[in-house]
Amino acid sequence: GYAVWTSDGTRPGTFLLKTFPPNPELPQYSRTHHMIGVGDRLFFAVDERVLWTSSGHTTAVEPSIDFVAQTGQRIWGLYPLRDGALVRGESAYFFTDGTVANTVELLDVGDATTSSSVAPIPLANGLLFFLYLPDTGWEPWFTDGTPAGTRILEVAPGAAGM
């Protein structure tokens, strides 16, 4: 199995948060993925399907969202954004604060083979920049974590991609 630990950098301040036994149904995925810190919380994925959060205390590690059951998508990446995380699904981007109620789809990027493998880049003012590859060529996008704030960056309006 796999384990998540917390530490203040000292031996006495190092604690086991949670162990995850191997998943016999998905042995290739039985591990933690995509750990990110957002404020005083840790976000991470287990088996690429369940989003977990922790405040770093041994009693505060909990599964937040079964992402596959909720969205139909595996978690392919997590990126810090404001008070939550941008979640890169198989064919869409989502924003979550770690709760089902506040998890929203931002952009459907369609076929996973045409979506970006480039990690989003944090920008000023709580924005995240990422690339998307539709049939027309690479397109630069940015998001503030809301559907209305997720837009293409018009470099050359009307032109077909980069």
Side-chain angles (χ1 to χ4, degrees):
Y2 294 85
V4 177
W5 295 75
T6 186
S7 180
D8 65 4
T10 66
R11 184 175 289 247
T14 302
F15 301 95
L16 176 66
L17 286 176
K18 180 78 176 166
T19 58
F20 298 93
N23 182 339
E25 295 175 21
L26 299 168
Q28 72 275 27
Y29 294 114
S30 294
R31 56 185 176 244
T32 56
H33 296 274
H34 317 296
M35 291 188 169
I36 60 166
V38 178
D40 64 350
R41 293 189 306 156
L42 173 69
F43 287 71
F44 61 98
V46 174
D47 296 337
E48 291 187 348
R49 68 174 295 130
V50 180
L51 180 67
W52 287 67
T53 60
S54 173
S55 64
H57 302 290
T58 55
T59 60
V61 181
E62 55 192 40
S64 297
I65 304 167
D66 182 332
F67 225 75
V68 172
Q70 196 67 31
T71 68
Q73 309 234 348
R74 289 199 175 281
I75 299 170
W76 282 9
L78 292 174
Y79 308 94
L81 181 60
R82 295 188 349 250
D83 57 347
L86 179 74
V87 180
R88 165 86 162 76
E90 293 172 281
S91 62
Y93 285 95
F94 301 84
F95 175 79
T96 186
D97 67 355
T99 66
V100 171
N102 291 318
T103 298
V104 295
E105 184 174 321
L106 301 176
L107 177 66
D108 182 343
V109 294
D111 181 3
T113 61
T114 64
S115 57
S116 174
S117 61
V118 178
I121 300 166
L123 300 175
N125 300 324
L127 296 175
L128 221 62
F129 171 84
F130 60 97
L131 295 173
Y132 165 48
L133 181 60
D135 294 339
T136 57
W138 286 105
E139 295 178 346
W141 285 72
F142 65 94
T143 185
D144 64 1
T146 66
T150 302
R151 304 183 299 274
I152 189 169
L153 177 62
E154 291 287 349
V155 178
M162 297 192 298

